[in-house]
Amino acid sequence: MAFTIFACISLANCGLEYNLKKGEEHLALGEYYDAAEQFKQAYLKTPVKERENRGKRALKMAICYDKINATPKAISAYANAIRYKQTSLNDKINYARLLLKNGQYKMAEKEFLELKDSLPENILVTNGLISAQKAPLWKKQGSRYKVKRMDIFNSRRDDYSPMLYGDHHDQLFFTSTRNESLGDDLSSITGTKTGDIYVSLKDDKGRWSRPEVLNSGVNTTFDEGACCFSADGREMYLTQCSTDPQNPRYAQIVVSQRSDATWGKGAVVELTRDTLSSYAHPAISPDGKWLYFTSDMPGGLGGLDIWRARITPTGLGGVENLGTPINTPGDEEFPTFRPNGELYFSSNGHPGMGGLDIYIAKTDPQTHKYHISHPGYPLNSEGDDFGMTFEGTLNQGFFCSNRKDGRGYDHIYSFNNPEIVQTVKGWVYEMDGYELPAAEVYIISNNGLNKKVPVLSDGSFNIIAQPGVSYLMMATCKGFLNHKEEITIPKVEESQEYTLQFPLASISAPVLIDNIFYEFNKATLTSQSQQALDQLVNLLNENPHVTIELRSHCDYKGTREYNKKLSQQRAEAVVNYLIKHGIDKNRLTAVGYGKEKPKVIRKKLTEKYPWLKENDVLTEDFIRNQTKENQDICNQLNRRTEFVVLRTTYNLFDSKGHLKHSPSGQKKNAQSDEDFNVHFE
């Protein structure tokens, strides 16, 4: 019997040593889930009378449980380590912060008050005490935010870091560790499948599809997550965490290129030559000039900090830390941008409600310094809240949180804040044609804004505008004349969207002047023509170096001589109107073509008249082969007034061929597009 007992004790000791050894090996590799299990077994095998050893092993468990968001287990383990007097002041800070994260504000306050006596200057202790005392009040006060758990996206594992994509925000990319993810093994770090990028699509009725794993080269058997997209939508930046059974591996940022509708394999983005630090949670600034990210590299303020690197045509520039007031000795993570330039990020170092809270960073237009604000409850909770994505300029979209999940899993929520927002939506398109996705819009305002914005694939652009501010917007596109619009945003008490149209005239093709009317069989312009003619006057004033030929056309009815004379007189009538309204006569040529140049059908017109085909020519023979009704339409299309651009250099050069007005240097505006974080508020 004695031998049996001795053998059992020996086997138990061997098993304990094995657990401790494996636990340390897993911990060194960052495999916190497996390490926690080994330390738990070691703790259970340690006799109660070995108080010091039990305390040390409880502390190891607490650290690992904290890393995998098993908050209740981490709190219990820390409590045991404290009971056995095996914790440092930093361990007690972590314990108090976990109490905050679990919503145990009274207990957290008690712990922070005790720590305050020993660490009166510690920022985490100071902010933790503020959090414990104020979080219940913030929760009671609430805010204008409304949140809803989006079960259509969520699984029974982690679903996090949503990111909207597409011109109409109808694709949602996010990370999930659900069972459908690639690979057969469970992660030694989290105890779940490794994360993959998933996508859900929204139909024309606003309903989201069940998520499916992104079928491309992006996903691997490693962890992929926290993605974002370049300003043009052609690049996906994401975090990738590879594994190595022998050495710890650190998170890195990779970039995937989009070809047609497929995302390619990610290539590592080298931010620094430091291979012993993590780089994660990429975000691209709205102007496309900066890559923001999270890192624990040396030179930060402690824990994880937010950094940025300039994006240049030749690659990434040097990295810089955002510093205070954004970064703290705690963790700052998951940067993301609202289109108006506001930076959203998550932190457990600022006063908050517990865990990671979402904060908003705005820059002062004069000093360019950050101002940090806390959006309150229910956007924030006692748990981790992070990973914002916005539906265009609206203050609504999605984020993720592990609130009210006892196992610490992250889930996706929607949010909406019905704030008062004034937006301007513009449409840039060719006259008598389609949208111009290659166009750009220059915007200046009387409050100092000077900005260039691209348009989306449908020729549209969106900005958030300030009430009481006047804006001038000039649309440009290669091969087309410029067009400008002006608008002053009224001061109103509700959100409104103002729509502006930017029809651009082609330099190389005839441009129809719509709604020009003459008296029957005469060259006299009717009063209904004034609006169209005034728009032409504005166009010529906006493009002062352009000369044009005014062309008038008739249908095939009547003699060639009569139609030629009438069309010439009508073209001259338009020219005379333009001269009378201030346009230099040397910029204008009137030509009446009669019925010599029948209309050539462009594709856009076939949408209105399906019986016509692109490049059909409305000759007399063509028209006579149509139905009576369609003949009338063809004749109407032939009776038109157009203009074509002859020159774009009128009055630019002197007699020696030199520019009359050389470009002069202009003082850089304090808020030009070269400055950091230019936005429309």
Side-chain angles (χ1 to χ4, degrees):
M1 177 67 73
F3 175 79
T4 303
I5 294 173
F6 177 78
C8 290
I9 292 173
S10 298
L11 288 172
N13 286 335
C14 289
L16 187 151
E17 294 301 322
Y18 173 83
N19 293 138
L20 288 174
K21 179 182 177 182
K22 296 302 292 184
E24 293 294 348
E25 289 177 357
H26 287 304
L27 184 59
L29 293 173
E31 297 171 349
Y32 302 112
Y33 181 86
D34 285 355
E37 184 60 28
Q38 294 297 329
F39 288 129
K40 177 183 176 181
Q41 293 302 319
Y43 178 83
L44 293 174
K45 294 174 183 177
T46 303
V48 175
K49 63 182 180 180
E50 295 183 21
R51 297 177 60 83
E52 181 178 341
N53 286 335
R54 282 177 71 86
K56 289 179 179 179
R57 287 150 200 175
L59 182 60
K60 294 281 189 178
M61 289 167 54
I63 293 170
C64 294
Y65 283 136
D66 187 7
K67 291 288 188 180
I68 62 175
N69 277 332
T71 302
K73 291 182 179 180
I75 290 174
S76 178
Y78 267 123
N80 283 332
I82 293 171
R83 179 161 58 92
Y84 290 126
K85 296 182 172 52
Q86 296 302 310
T87 52
S88 65
L89 286 175
N90 281 336
D91 295 327
K92 290 184 177 180
I93 292 175
N94 291 336
Y95 172 61
R97 282 153 62 84
L98 283 171
L99 291 173
L100 272 181
K101 188 174 180 179
N102 210 40
Q104 297 171 256
Y105 296 127
K106 286 295 183 183
M107 290 185 62
E109 181 182 10
K110 177 178 177 293
E111 295 295 326
F112 281 121
L113 283 171
E114 292 180 3
L115 287 164
K116 189 73 174 172
D117 292 336
S118 303
L119 302 168
E121 304 299 324
N122 187 288
I123 294 175
L124 295 181
V125 171
T126 300
N127 288 347
L129 181 57
I130 295 172
S131 301
Q133 293 172 337
K134 291 191 174 182
L137 177 61
W138 291 335
K139 189 169 184 177
K140 184 177 180 180
Q141 287 177 336
S143 70
R144 291 170 58 88
Y145 280 92
K146 297 179 181 179
V147 303
K148 178 184 178 183
R149 179 164 157 159
M150 297 296 293
D151 289 334
I152 184 69
F153 304 132
N154 295 317
S155 66
R156 301 179 69 179
R157 295 294 183 264
D158 282 316
D159 303 284
Y160 62 95
S161 289
M163 184 58 59
L164 286 164
Y165 178 76
D167 292 348
H168 302 289
H169 320 294
D170 53 1
Q171 301 174 51
L172 186 74
F173 290 74
F174 63 92
T175 304
S176 180
T177 61
R178 63 188 64 192
N179 293 334
E180 293 87 347
S181 298
L182 298 181
D184 298 324
D185 299 328
L186 299 183
S187 169
S188 298
I189 301 173
T190 63
T192 65
K193 295 287 288 289
T194 55
D196 277 345
I197 303 294
Y198 284 73
V199 63
S200 175
L201 307 179
K202 184 167 66 173
D203 63 22
D204 54 7
K205 295 182 179 179
R207 296 174 300 198
W208 290 97
S209 66
R210 296 298 303 180
E212 294 184 2
V213 67
L214 185 61
N215 188 15
S216 69
V218 169
N219 288 320
T220 69
T221 55
F222 299 132
D223 262 306
E224 282 84 30
C227 70
C228 72
F229 300 95
S230 60
D232 61 10
R234 296 177 182 175
E235 294 179 322
M236 177 196 297
Y237 291 81
L238 65 150
T239 307
Q240 187 178 81
C241 302
S242 57
T243 58
D244 189 315
Q246 304 299 325
N247 298 293
R249 298 297 295 268
Y250 303 95
Q252 59 188 1
I253 294 174
V254 300
V255 59
S256 168
Q257 305 291 332
R258 187 170 188 241
S259 177
D260 296 326
T262 303
W263 294 98
K265 182 180 179 181
V268 176
V269 176
E270 186 177 279
L271 291 157
T272 72
R273 297 191 182 277
D274 176 3
T275 60
L276 299 178
S277 299
S278 292
Y279 306 89
H281 310 160
I284 304 295
S285 60
D287 59 11
K289 295 182 178 180
W290 294 93
L291 171 64
Y292 286 68
F293 60 94
T294 297
S295 179
D296 58 357
M297 75 174 84
L301 275 67
L304 297 170
D305 276 10
I306 296 177
W307 302 67
R308 68 174 185 171
R310 184 178 284 276
I311 300 172
T312 72
T314 57
L316 293 174
V319 301
E320 58 184 63
N321 189 286
L322 293 195
T324 59
I326 287 181
N327 290 320
T328 71
D331 292 328
E332 280 69 47
E333 310 177 63
F334 299 97
T336 190
F337 283 92
R338 192 175 171 190
N340 64 5
E342 294 173 354
L343 171 64
Y344 284 67
F345 66 98
S346 290
S347 170
N348 60 17
H350 292 279
M353 299 189 68
L356 291 171
D357 270 22
I358 294 168
Y359 296 85
I360 307 171
K362 299 181 182 181
T363 52
D364 185 289
Q366 302 300 323
T367 65
H368 294 274
K369 293 182 178 180
Y370 289 108
H371 170 72
I372 309 298
S373 62
H374 184 275
Y377 179 85
L379 187 66
N380 287 313
S381 68
E382 69 274 8
D384 290 327
D385 306 290
F386 59 100
M388 302 281 283
T389 185
F390 293 88
E391 189 177 332
T393 57
L394 301 176
N395 197 358
Q396 66 184 42
F398 303 98
F399 73 109
C400 49
S401 176
N402 59 19
R403 63 186 67 185
K404 298 179 181 179
D405 189 296
R407 301 178 67 186
Y409 288 131
D410 302 314
H411 304 292
I412 295 174
Y413 290 74
S414 66
F415 73 90
N416 175 265
N417 182 352
E419 62 181 358
I420 299 174
V421 180
Q422 312 303 327
T423 58
V424 176
K425 184 167 190 175
W427 298 90
V428 186
Y429 54 93
E430 55 177 315
M431 286 185 176
D432 195 31
Y434 291 96
E435 59 273 355
L436 293 170
E440 294 179 324
V441 181
Y442 293 82
I443 305 172
I444 60 174
S445 69
N446 61 355
N447 69 341
L449 179 68
N450 186 349
K451 180 73 174 177
K452 177 179 70 176
V453 298
V455 301
L456 301 177
S457 61
D458 62 355
S460 70
F461 67 93
N462 249 313
I463 66 166
I464 294 179
Q466 286 227 8
V469 175
S470 296
Y471 295 85
L472 186 147
M473 305 180 188
M474 177 78 77
T476 68
C477 187
K478 186 176 181 180
F480 294 84
L481 301 182
N482 299 332
H483 179 73
K484 72 178 181 182
E485 291 287 339
E486 298 181 53
I487 185 172
T488 298
I489 306 301
K491 296 181 178 180
V492 294
E493 297 300 321
E494 58 183 18
S495 298
Q496 289 191 18
E497 181 179 82
Y498 305 90
T499 303
L500 298 178
Q501 305 286 337
F502 294 83
L504 302 191
S506 172
I507 291 176
S508 58
V511 179
L512 176 69
I513 309 173
D514 214 356
N515 296 321
I516 295 289
F517 304 102
Y518 305 91
E519 293 184 7
F520 182 69
N521 275 348
K522 294 183 180 180
T524 306
L525 290 162
T526 67
S527 59
Q528 292 98 318
S529 305
Q530 182 175 345
Q531 182 177 358
L533 291 170
D534 289 345
Q535 289 174 351
L536 183 55
V537 171
N538 291 335
L539 177 66
L540 291 169
N541 285 330
E542 292 168 1
N543 299 272
H545 303 298
V546 165
T547 65
I548 63 171
E549 177 182 284
L550 263 301
R551 297 178 170 182
S552 180
H553 304 268
C554 298
D555 57 33
Y556 67 82
K557 298 176 182 179
T559 65
R560 180 179 299 275
E561 292 75 16
Y562 176 81
N563 282 336
K564 185 85 168 175
K565 179 179 179 181
L566 179 60
S567 62
Q568 179 66 35
Q569 291 172 341
R570 288 181 169 179
E572 291 172 354
V574 174
V575 166
N576 290 335
Y577 184 95
L578 300 178
I579 294 172
K580 183 179 178 181
H581 287 78
I583 304 301
D584 189 338
K585 64 180 180 181
N586 294 319
R587 299 175 60 194
L588 307 170
T589 303
V591 179
Y593 284 95
K595 55 183 178 181
E596 296 174 5
K597 290 183 177 290
K599 187 174 182 66
V600 179
I601 299 302
R602 298 188 64 190
K603 185 178 179 180
K604 184 73 173 178
L605 206 55
T606 64
E607 297 176 6
K608 185 176 181 181
Y609 304 114
W611 47 275
L612 290 173
K613 295 182 177 59
E614 186 178 7
N615 295 322
D616 278 347
V617 182
L618 303 187
T619 62
E620 182 175 350
D621 290 341
F622 178 91
I623 295 172
R624 290 187 181 279
N625 286 323
Q626 307 301 317
T627 65
K628 179 64 172 66
E629 180 182 358
N630 291 349
Q631 287 183 26
D632 292 339
I633 292 173
C634 291
N635 285 325
Q636 183 181 356
L637 292 174
N638 269 335
R639 297 190 297 267
R640 67 199 190 278
T641 301
E642 300 172 329
F643 72 85
V644 293
V645 175
L646 300 178
R647 293 173 54 199
T648 58
T649 57
Y650 174 75
N651 208 27
L652 268 178
F653 303 96
D654 60 23
S655 58
K656 296 182 179 179
H658 299 140
L659 278 173
K660 288 186 177 181
H661 303 287
S662 298
S664 58
Q666 294 181 343
K667 184 179 179 181
K668 183 182 172 185
N669 188 286
Q671 197 167 340
S672 72
D673 61 349
E674 293 297 321
D675 290 329
F676 168 67
N677 207 24
V678 175
H679 59 272
F680 299 95
E681 284 198 333

